[in-house]
């Protein structure tokens, strides 16, 4: 169907092309051949009189016009999806949606595997993409995930919530410590002085920023740690603690899971860290999408089951 000389079917291709910035990956998602996808890009370039995607090094990057078009195209497709869904009742068993979720490695490790299994049981035709919670240049991780990267949902720590987006509290957890079981006998405890003097395994973002809850709180109270190893994922901490006297501070759910796989002890933190909440957020324009509403409820139900466990 054409509207003002534009084949509206091309908007689907444009949306995927701008998200993937790759003709081959877009072709896979569109279930088209690479030549057909290239042809669609050529028609889009002709209509908009703009290259839309240009080579930069070994990759393609969107032009300034493409960046302006991206959120508008996504909005049009979301509205079209809402119109389509209102014609029939939503049936998860017939859902073929590709859900894109942005979350920290903590959430990805502790909650999302159960969500994936539940999704497979309820909606076997659906798929789930989990993306890393990237550090936004302006500090707004929620807008980065939902507006710019056009993900369906974002799960962020309470401190990173964007009040302009709808939200629901998903999980709460407390910080604790892991130590090597061999070097910390069962009768030994962890006090503040030993915590202060010990060598620590820390978690930082790829660009070197330490935005974790424990790091922020310790800075506030003026307590310094001696970091001897820094990793980008909580799940990597265990390997740097085993066979050493080091300490790592992380959330209890993940600490207990790691202690089942490694010779570790989980100890209460000697610092009164505040409890941490993980918050689910979504774009206001998607609030009326019945499919995403169902998926949000699935996430909340699995989080509740995790709390019960």
């Amino acid at each position: 169907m054409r509207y003002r000389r534009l084949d509206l079917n091309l908007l689907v291709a444009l949306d995927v092309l701008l998200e993937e910035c790759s003709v081959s990956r877009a072709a896979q998602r569109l279930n088209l051949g690479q030549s057909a996808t290239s042809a669609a890009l050529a028609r889009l370039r002709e209509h908009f009189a703009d290259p839309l995607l240009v080579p930069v090094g070994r990759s393609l990057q969107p032009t300034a016009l493409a960046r302006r078009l991206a959120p508008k195209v996504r909005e049009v497709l979301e509205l079209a999806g809402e119109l389509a869904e209102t014609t029939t009742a939503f049936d998860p068993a017939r859902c073929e949606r590709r859900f894109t979720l942005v979350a920290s490695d903590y959430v990805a490790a502790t909650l999302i595997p159960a969500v994936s299994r539940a999704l497979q049981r309820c909606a076997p035709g659906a798929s789930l993409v989990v993306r890393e919670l990237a550090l936004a240049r302006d500090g707004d991780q929620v807008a980065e995930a939902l507006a710019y990267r056009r993900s369906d949902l974002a799960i962020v720590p309470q401190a990173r919530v964007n009040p302009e987006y709808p939200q629901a509290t998903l999980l709460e957890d407390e910080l604790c410590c892991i130590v090597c079981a061999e070097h910390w006998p069962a009768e030994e405890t962890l006090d503040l002085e030993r915590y202060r003097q010990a060598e620590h395994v820390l978690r930082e973002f790829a660009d070197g920023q330490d935005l974790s809850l424990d790091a922020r709180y310790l800075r506030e109270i003026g307590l310094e740690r001696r970091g001897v190893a820094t990793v980008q994922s909580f799940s990597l901490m265990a390997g740097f603690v085993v066979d050493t006297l080091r300490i790592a501070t992380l959330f209890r759910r993940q600490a207990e899971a790691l202690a089942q796989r490694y010779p570790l002890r989980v100890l209460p933190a000697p610092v009164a860290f505040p409890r941490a909440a993980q918050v689910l957020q979504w774009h206001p324009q998607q609030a009326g999408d019945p499919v995403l509403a169902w998926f949000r409820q699935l996430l909340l139900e699995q989080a509740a089951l995790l709390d019960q466990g």
Side-chain angles (χ1 to χ4, degrees):
M1 176 181 176
R2 290 183 176 274
Y3 182 74
R4 296 186 179 180
R5 301 186 305 281
L6 174 63
D7 183 349
L8 298 183
N9 292 317
L10 291 175
L11 292 181
V12 177
L14 179 58
D15 180 57
V16 176
L17 281 163
L18 295 183
E19 183 171 353
E20 296 292 345
C21 289
S22 165
V23 174
S24 59
R25 291 197 300 270
Q28 292 177 354
R29 282 184 53 187
L30 293 167
N31 292 318
L32 294 175
Q34 189 161 338
S35 60
T37 307
S38 296
L41 178 57
R43 293 171 63 191
L44 287 163
R45 285 168 165 167
E46 180 181 0
H47 177 83
F48 290 106
D50 186 88
L52 299 176
L53 292 171
V54 294
V56 177
R58 296 184 178 181
S59 64
L60 294 177
Q61 295 296 325
T63 64
L65 176 62
R67 293 180 184 276
R68 294 200 304 272
L69 288 173
K72 297 179 181 179
V73 172
R74 173 54 63 94
E75 182 179 357
V76 168
L77 293 177
E78 287 170 354
L79 289 174
E82 289 182 21
L83 288 173
E85 291 293 343
T86 57
T87 61
T88 58
F90 171 61
D91 180 6
R94 301 177 63 183
C95 177
E96 296 183 352
R97 186 85 164 251
R98 179 178 185 262
F99 297 104
T100 304
L101 177 67
V102 173
S104 68
D105 59 301
Y106 159 71
V107 174
T110 58
L111 174 63
I112 304 307
V115 171
S116 178
R117 292 190 292 270
L119 185 64
Q120 185 179 36
R121 290 193 301 270
C122 301
S127 60
L128 178 61
V129 177
V130 183
R131 293 174 173 167
E132 182 182 4
L133 190 62
L135 183 64
R137 282 171 292 182
D138 61 359
D140 189 344
Q141 292 176 304
V142 176
E144 176 78 18
L146 301 179
Y148 302 115
R149 301 197 176 197
R150 294 168 291 168
S151 302
D152 294 316
L153 299 167
I155 301 174
V156 296
Q158 181 68 57
R160 314 299 293 177
V161 163
N162 185 326
E164 297 181 3
Y165 291 78
Q167 60 181 274
T169 300
L170 195 63
L171 289 174
E172 285 194 355
D173 207 342
E174 65 177 359
L175 287 167
C176 63
C177 299
I178 54 173
V179 295
C180 177
E182 180 182 351
H183 294 287
W184 290 73
E187 66 274 9
E188 287 195 32
T189 59
L190 177 60
D191 59 25
L192 183 59
E193 187 59 28
R194 193 166 186 181
Y195 184 83
R196 188 196 305 268
Q197 294 180 357
E199 296 179 340
H200 288 261
V201 180
L202 308 177
R203 195 265 194 193
E204 289 183 356
F205 278 95
D207 64 355
Q209 294 196 52
D210 192 346
L211 301 177
S212 59
L213 174 64
D214 54 311
R216 295 199 312 272
Y217 184 76
L218 291 177
R219 282 196 294 268
E220 289 176 5
I221 66 174
L223 193 153
E224 294 186 3
R225 292 179 293 188
R226 185 156 59 100
V228 296
T230 301
V231 295
Q232 294 181 30
S233 169
F234 289 115
S235 61
L236 296 176
M237 287 179 158
F240 290 81
V241 169
V242 171
D243 293 331
T244 74
L245 288 170
R246 297 169 180 170
I247 298 171
T249 304
L250 68 169
F251 292 112
R252 180 167 293 278
R253 286 191 180 91
Q254 197 160 19
E256 292 176 346
L258 291 172
Q260 295 178 4
R261 298 163 46 199
Y262 296 89
L264 299 170
R265 284 187 63 202
V266 180
L267 300 176
V271 179
F273 292 112
R275 286 184 64 84
Q278 300 290 330
V279 180
L280 177 66
Q281 295 206 265
W282 56 96
H283 202 286
Q285 294 174 353
Q286 295 181 310
D289 185 336
V291 184
L292 275 183
W294 172 83
F295 184 56
R296 291 197 300 269
Q297 185 60 36
L298 180 72
L299 279 162
L300 292 168
E301 290 172 357
Q302 291 303 309
L305 291 174
L306 194 63
D307 282 332
Q308 294 173 13

mmCIF file of all heavy atoms in Angstrom, residues 83-113:
data_model
loop_
_atom_site.group_PDB
_atom_site.id
_atom_site.type_symbol
_atom_site.label_atom_id
_atom_site.label_comp_id
_atom_site.label_asym_id
_atom_site.label_seq_id
_atom_site.Cartn_x
_atom_site.Cartn_y
_atom_site.Cartn_z
ATOM 1 N N LEU A 83 -3.576 -1.100 16.613
ATOM 2 C CA LEU A 83 -4.793 -1.226 15.827
ATOM 3 C C LEU A 83 -5.049 -2.675 15.435
ATOM 4 O O LEU A 83 -6.180 -3.176 15.494
ATOM 5 C CB LEU A 83 -4.698 -0.351 14.569
ATOM 6 C CG LEU A 83 -4.802 1.154 14.782
ATOM 7 C CD1 LEU A 83 -4.518 1.888 13.478
ATOM 8 C CD2 LEU A 83 -6.191 1.522 15.297
ATOM 9 N N ALA A 84 -3.992 -3.351 15.050
ATOM 10 C CA ALA A 84 -4.145 -4.748 14.643
ATOM 11 C C ALA A 84 -4.574 -5.618 15.818
ATOM 12 O O ALA A 84 -5.408 -6.513 15.673
ATOM 13 C CB ALA A 84 -2.839 -5.270 14.052
ATOM 14 N N GLU A 85 -4.022 -5.368 17.001
ATOM 15 C CA GLU A 85 -4.337 -6.194 18.151
ATOM 16 C C GLU A 85 -5.751 -5.973 18.656
ATOM 17 O O GLU A 85 -6.330 -6.858 19.277
ATOM 18 C CB GLU A 85 -3.344 -5.902 19.289
ATOM 19 C CG GLU A 85 -1.922 -6.384 19.012
ATOM 20 C CD GLU A 85 -1.825 -7.894 18.950
ATOM 21 O OE1 GLU A 85 -2.754 -8.572 19.425
ATOM 22 O OE2 GLU A 85 -0.810 -8.387 18.424
ATOM 23 N N THR A 86 -6.335 -4.790 18.397
ATOM 24 C CA THR A 86 -7.682 -4.533 18.881
ATOM 25 C C THR A 86 -8.728 -5.303 18.092
ATOM 26 O O THR A 86 -9.872 -5.399 18.519
ATOM 27 C CB THR A 86 -8.016 -3.033 18.799
ATOM 28 O OG1 THR A 86 -7.857 -2.580 17.442
ATOM 29 C CG2 THR A 86 -7.112 -2.236 19.708
ATOM 30 N N THR A 87 -8.345 -5.877 16.961
ATOM 31 C CA THR A 87 -9.327 -6.607 16.159
ATOM 32 C C THR A 87 -9.585 -8.009 16.692
ATOM 33 O O THR A 87 -10.616 -8.591 16.421
ATOM 34 C CB THR A 87 -8.854 -6.711 14.701
ATOM 35 O OG1 THR A 87 -7.607 -7.422 14.656
ATOM 36 C CG2 THR A 87 -8.652 -5.330 14.109
ATOM 37 N N THR A 88 -8.654 -8.558 17.456
ATOM 38 C CA THR A 88 -8.822 -9.907 18.001
ATOM 39 C C THR A 88 -8.292 -9.928 19.419
ATOM 40 O O THR A 88 -7.454 -9.122 19.814
ATOM 41 C CB THR A 88 -8.031 -10.941 17.168
ATOM 42 O OG1 THR A 88 -6.648 -10.567 17.164
ATOM 43 C CG2 THR A 88 -8.549 -11.009 15.743
ATOM 44 N N ALA A 89 -8.780 -10.887 20.209
ATOM 45 C CA ALA A 89 -8.277 -11.069 21.567
ATOM 46 C C ALA A 89 -6.858 -11.634 21.508
ATOM 47 O O ALA A 89 -6.546 -12.458 20.658
ATOM 48 C CB ALA A 89 -9.192 -12.011 22.336
ATOM 49 N N PHE A 90 -6.035 -11.180 22.419
ATOM 50 C CA PHE A 90 -4.653 -11.636 22.414
ATOM 51 C C PHE A 90 -4.569 -13.067 22.931
ATOM 52 O O PHE A 90 -5.079 -13.394 24.004
ATOM 53 C CB PHE A 90 -3.793 -10.713 23.282
ATOM 54 C CG PHE A 90 -2.405 -11.230 23.496
ATOM 55 C CD1 PHE A 90 -1.551 -11.440 22.426
ATOM 56 C CD2 PHE A 90 -1.956 -11.531 24.781
ATOM 57 C CE1 PHE A 90 -0.274 -11.931 22.623
ATOM 58 C CE2 PHE A 90 -0.681 -12.009 24.980
ATOM 59 C CZ PHE A 90 0.156 -12.213 23.899
ATOM 60 N N ASP A 91 -3.892 -13.905 22.177
ATOM 61 C CA ASP A 91 -3.698 -15.306 22.539
ATOM 62 C C ASP A 91 -2.196 -15.565 22.612
ATOM 63 O O ASP A 91 -1.526 -15.614 21.582
ATOM 64 C CB ASP A 91 -4.351 -16.220 21.500
ATOM 65 C CG ASP A 91 -4.175 -17.691 21.837
ATOM 66 O OD1 ASP A 91 -3.643 -18.006 22.919
ATOM 67 O OD2 ASP A 91 -4.594 -18.543 21.026
ATOM 68 N N PRO A 92 -1.633 -15.726 23.817
ATOM 69 C CA PRO A 92 -0.181 -15.950 23.927
ATOM 70 C C PRO A 92 0.298 -17.143 23.112
ATOM 71 O O PRO A 92 1.413 -17.119 22.579
ATOM 72 C CB PRO A 92 0.023 -16.181 25.431
ATOM 73 C CG PRO A 92 -1.138 -15.516 26.087
ATOM 74 C CD PRO A 92 -2.283 -15.663 25.128
ATOM 75 N N ALA A 93 -0.517 -18.170 23.017
ATOM 76 C CA ALA A 93 -0.099 -19.371 22.298
ATOM 77 C C ALA A 93 0.157 -19.091 20.816
ATOM 78 O O ALA A 93 0.878 -19.839 20.153
ATOM 79 C CB ALA A 93 -1.144 -20.470 22.454
ATOM 80 N N ARG A 94 -0.430 -18.010 20.295
ATOM 81 C CA ARG A 94 -0.257 -17.665 18.877
ATOM 82 C C ARG A 94 0.680 -16.471 18.693
ATOM 83 O O ARG A 94 0.868 -15.998 17.578
ATOM 84 C CB ARG A 94 -1.620 -17.361 18.255
ATOM 85 C CG ARG A 94 -2.610 -18.524 18.337
ATOM 86 C CD ARG A 94 -3.960 -18.150 17.782
ATOM 87 N NE ARG A 94 -3.898 -17.820 16.367
ATOM 88 C CZ ARG A 94 -4.937 -17.410 15.644
ATOM 89 N NH1 ARG A 94 -6.135 -17.274 16.233
ATOM 90 N NH2 ARG A 94 -4.814 -17.138 14.379
ATOM 91 N N CYS A 95 1.267 -16.015 19.778
ATOM 92 C CA CYS A 95 2.137 -14.837 19.725
ATOM 93 C C CYS A 95 3.472 -15.187 19.070
ATOM 94 O O CYS A 95 4.106 -16.190 19.422
ATOM 95 C CB CYS A 95 2.369 -14.303 21.138
ATOM 96 S SG CYS A 95 3.502 -12.894 21.216
ATOM 97 N N GLU A 96 3.903 -14.352 18.153
ATOM 98 C CA GLU A 96 5.205 -14.525 17.508
ATOM 99 C C GLU A 96 6.060 -13.274 17.688
ATOM 100 O O GLU A 96 6.947 -12.990 16.899
ATOM 101 C CB GLU A 96 5.022 -14.836 16.021
ATOM 102 C CG GLU A 96 4.297 -16.159 15.770
ATOM 103 C CD GLU A 96 4.177 -16.497 14.304
ATOM 104 O OE1 GLU A 96 4.519 -15.631 13.466
ATOM 105 O OE2 GLU A 96 3.747 -17.619 13.990
ATOM 106 N N ARG A 97 5.815 -12.560 18.743
ATOM 107 C CA ARG A 97 6.496 -11.287 19.025
ATOM 108 C C ARG A 97 7.950 -11.535 19.431
ATOM 109 O O ARG A 97 8.280 -12.527 20.071
ATOM 110 C CB ARG A 97 5.758 -10.561 20.145
ATOM 111 C CG ARG A 97 6.250 -9.160 20.471
ATOM 112 C CD ARG A 97 5.634 -8.121 19.568
ATOM 113 N NE ARG A 97 5.804 -6.786 20.117
ATOM 114 C CZ ARG A 97 4.827 -6.052 20.633
ATOM 115 N NH1 ARG A 97 3.589 -6.532 20.663
ATOM 116 N NH2 ARG A 97 5.046 -4.846 21.093
ATOM 117 N N ARG A 98 8.807 -10.618 19.079
ATOM 118 C CA ARG A 98 10.207 -10.623 19.509
ATOM 119 C C ARG A 98 10.342 -9.539 20.577
ATOM 120 O O ARG A 98 10.327 -8.351 20.286
ATOM 121 C CB ARG A 98 11.134 -10.334 18.319
ATOM 122 C CG ARG A 98 12.629 -10.298 18.640
ATOM 123 C CD ARG A 98 13.372 -10.057 17.337
ATOM 124 N NE ARG A 98 14.817 -10.112 17.466
ATOM 125 C CZ ARG A 98 15.612 -9.057 17.589
ATOM 126 N NH1 ARG A 98 15.076 -7.839 17.599
ATOM 127 N NH2 ARG A 98 16.912 -9.203 17.686
ATOM 128 N N PHE A 99 10.440 -9.952 21.845
ATOM 129 C CA PHE A 99 10.516 -9.018 22.953
ATOM 130 C C PHE A 99 11.981 -8.643 23.208
ATOM 131 O O PHE A 99 12.847 -9.517 23.311
ATOM 132 C CB PHE A 99 9.925 -9.634 24.227
ATOM 133 C CG PHE A 99 8.462 -9.960 24.122
ATOM 134 C CD1 PHE A 99 8.041 -11.267 23.953
ATOM 135 C CD2 PHE A 99 7.505 -8.960 24.185
ATOM 136 C CE1 PHE A 99 6.696 -11.579 23.859
ATOM 137 C CE2 PHE A 99 6.148 -9.252 24.088
ATOM 138 C CZ PHE A 99 5.759 -10.567 23.919
ATOM 139 N N THR A 100 12.230 -7.340 23.318
ATOM 140 C CA THR A 100 13.582 -6.852 23.578
ATOM 141 C C THR A 100 13.618 -6.220 24.954
ATOM 142 O O THR A 100 12.878 -5.277 25.244
ATOM 143 C CB THR A 100 14.003 -5.822 22.520
ATOM 144 O OG1 THR A 100 13.889 -6.407 21.222
ATOM 145 C CG2 THR A 100 15.441 -5.394 22.736
ATOM 146 N N LEU A 101 14.482 -6.749 25.805
ATOM 147 C CA LEU A 101 14.554 -6.346 27.204
ATOM 148 C C LEU A 101 15.979 -5.897 27.524
ATOM 149 O O LEU A 101 16.943 -6.576 27.172
ATOM 150 C CB LEU A 101 14.165 -7.543 28.087
ATOM 151 C CG LEU A 101 14.228 -7.385 29.594
ATOM 152 C CD1 LEU A 101 13.171 -6.393 30.064
ATOM 153 C CD2 LEU A 101 13.999 -8.741 30.261
ATOM 154 N N VAL A 102 16.102 -4.749 28.188
ATOM 155 C CA VAL A 102 17.403 -4.241 28.609
ATOM 156 C C VAL A 102 17.495 -4.378 30.128
ATOM 157 O O VAL A 102 16.595 -3.932 30.851
ATOM 158 C CB VAL A 102 17.584 -2.767 28.192
ATOM 159 C CG1 VAL A 102 18.868 -2.197 28.771
ATOM 160 C CG2 VAL A 102 17.597 -2.651 26.680
ATOM 161 N N ALA A 103 18.568 -5.008 30.602
ATOM 162 C CA ALA A 103 18.702 -5.255 32.039
ATOM 163 C C ALA A 103 20.169 -5.379 32.417
ATOM 164 O O ALA A 103 21.031 -5.638 31.567
ATOM 165 C CB ALA A 103 17.947 -6.526 32.431
ATOM 166 N N SER A 104 20.445 -5.229 33.699
ATOM 167 C CA SER A 104 21.798 -5.412 34.210
ATOM 168 C C SER A 104 22.155 -6.892 34.213
ATOM 169 O O SER A 104 21.282 -7.770 34.097
ATOM 170 C CB SER A 104 21.905 -4.860 35.639
ATOM 171 O OG SER A 104 21.123 -5.657 36.528
ATOM 172 N N ASP A 105 23.433 -7.185 34.374
ATOM 173 C CA ASP A 105 23.850 -8.583 34.424
ATOM 174 C C ASP A 105 23.279 -9.281 35.652
ATOM 175 O O ASP A 105 23.035 -10.488 35.625
ATOM 176 C CB ASP A 105 25.375 -8.684 34.397
ATOM 177 C CG ASP A 105 26.036 -7.958 35.555
ATOM 178 O OD1 ASP A 105 25.829 -6.744 35.689
ATOM 179 O OD2 ASP A 105 26.776 -8.604 36.324
ATOM 180 N N TYR A 106 23.033 -8.545 36.742
ATOM 181 C CA TYR A 106 22.419 -9.132 37.934
ATOM 182 C C TYR A 106 21.006 -9.622 37.621
ATOM 183 O O TYR A 106 20.651 -10.765 37.914
ATOM 184 C CB TYR A 106 22.389 -8.101 39.068
ATOM 185 C CG TYR A 106 21.366 -8.401 40.141
ATOM 186 C CD1 TYR A 106 21.548 -9.462 41.019
ATOM 187 C CD2 TYR A 106 20.202 -7.636 40.256
ATOM 188 C CE1 TYR A 106 20.604 -9.746 41.999
ATOM 189 C CE2 TYR A 106 19.264 -7.910 41.219
ATOM 190 C CZ TYR A 106 19.458 -8.966 42.093
ATOM 191 O OH TYR A 106 18.515 -9.257 43.046
ATOM 192 N N VAL A 107 20.196 -8.773 37.018
ATOM 193 C CA VAL A 107 18.832 -9.163 36.673
ATOM 194 C C VAL A 107 18.830 -10.273 35.623
ATOM 195 O O VAL A 107 18.059 -11.222 35.697
ATOM 196 C CB VAL A 107 18.032 -7.944 36.176
ATOM 197 C CG1 VAL A 107 16.652 -8.358 35.668
ATOM 198 C CG2 VAL A 107 17.894 -6.916 37.291
ATOM 199 N N ALA A 108 19.728 -10.135 34.635
ATOM 200 C CA ALA A 108 19.802 -11.149 33.580
ATOM 201 C C ALA A 108 20.142 -12.519 34.146
ATOM 202 O O ALA A 108 19.654 -13.540 33.646
ATOM 203 C CB ALA A 108 20.844 -10.734 32.540
ATOM 204 N N ALA A 109 20.953 -12.559 35.195
ATOM 205 C CA ALA A 109 21.361 -13.842 35.772
ATOM 206 C C ALA A 109 20.329 -14.414 36.731
ATOM 207 O O ALA A 109 20.136 -15.639 36.787
ATOM 208 C CB ALA A 109 22.700 -13.681 36.496
ATOM 209 N N THR A 110 19.641 -13.569 37.489
ATOM 210 C CA THR A 110 18.777 -14.075 38.552
ATOM 211 C C THR A 110 17.311 -14.240 38.152
ATOM 212 O O THR A 110 16.628 -15.122 38.665
ATOM 213 C CB THR A 110 18.832 -13.147 39.775
ATOM 214 O OG1 THR A 110 18.444 -11.819 39.386
ATOM 215 C CG2 THR A 110 20.233 -13.101 40.356
ATOM 216 N N LEU A 111 16.821 -13.413 37.242
ATOM 217 C CA LEU A 111 15.394 -13.443 36.899
ATOM 218 C C LEU A 111 15.106 -13.887 35.481
ATOM 219 O O LEU A 111 14.178 -14.680 35.254
ATOM 220 C CB LEU A 111 14.792 -12.042 37.125
ATOM 221 C CG LEU A 111 13.331 -11.864 36.686
ATOM 222 C CD1 LEU A 111 12.405 -12.772 37.494
ATOM 223 C CD2 LEU A 111 12.895 -10.412 36.806
ATOM 224 N N ILE A 112 15.874 -13.417 34.520
ATOM 225 C CA ILE A 112 15.501 -13.589 33.121
ATOM 226 C C ILE A 112 15.494 -15.048 32.662
ATOM 227 O O ILE A 112 14.649 -15.417 31.820
ATOM 228 C CB ILE A 112 16.387 -12.719 32.212
ATOM 229 C CG1 ILE A 112 16.305 -11.255 32.658
ATOM 230 C CG2 ILE A 112 15.939 -12.829 30.766
ATOM 231 C CD1 ILE A 112 14.889 -10.706 32.761
ATOM 232 N N PRO A 113 16.356 -15.937 33.144
ATOM 233 C CA PRO A 113 16.222 -17.341 32.726
ATOM 234 C C PRO A 113 14.850 -17.931 33.038
ATOM 235 O O PRO A 113 14.280 -18.651 32.220
ATOM 236 C CB PRO A 113 17.339 -18.040 33.515
ATOM 237 C CG PRO A 113 18.371 -16.986 33.699
ATOM 238 C CD PRO A 113 17.601 -15.725 33.934
#
